[in-house]
Amino acid sequence: MKRVTKMLDLKAAIKKAETKCGKKVATARDCGDKWIFTFDELEGKMTTAPMFVFKEKDRSEYFFIDDSENALHGGKSVDLPTRED
């Protein structure tokens, strides 16, 4: 029997990223197998590293630009869904 993997859509990935980070997503890029998110920064607070949220594996991880210098420029920029506060 073939195992079906559930893919995270953009809204689910944003929710996962915001829950893990504790901040609102500011930008999103679609890089095929993963989403890349940056976050709104709060005045006077430390900057949060961008985060990968993988579409297939229910995995997320922060990355540092020095380690993945082209990651924020790769993929396709996507509009964030409308938020209901």
Side-chain angles (χ1 to χ4, degrees):
M1 180 193 307
K2 185 176 180 179
R3 197 165 133 179
V4 177
T5 303
K6 183 177 178 183
M7 301 285 279
L8 286 178
D9 65 12
L10 180 58
K11 282 187 177 187
I14 288 172
K15 183 176 180 178
K16 182 177 188 71
E18 289 179 342
T19 298
K20 184 171 184 176
C21 178
K23 295 183 182 179
K24 293 280 186 189
V25 166
T27 65
R29 298 188 73 79
D30 184 345
C31 292
D33 65 333
K34 61 188 161 285
W35 303 101
I36 297 176
F37 298 113
T38 61
F39 300 92
D40 288 338
E41 300 304 330
L42 303 174
E43 191 173 331
K45 300 287 182 179
M46 253 180 103
T47 302
T48 302
M51 180 185 291
F52 289 125
V53 175
F54 293 84
K55 293 179 180 180
E56 263 188 49
K57 299 185 178 173
D58 193 28
R59 187 179 96 205
S60 60
E61 59 189 53
Y62 290 103
F63 73 96
F64 298 94
I65 294 178
D66 288 348
D67 297 334
S68 304
E69 63 185 72
N70 294 321
L72 290 176
H73 304 291
K76 177 182 173 191
S77 183
V78 295
D79 292 329
L80 296 176
T82 304
R83 299 171 193 248
E84 291 130 33
D85 294 341

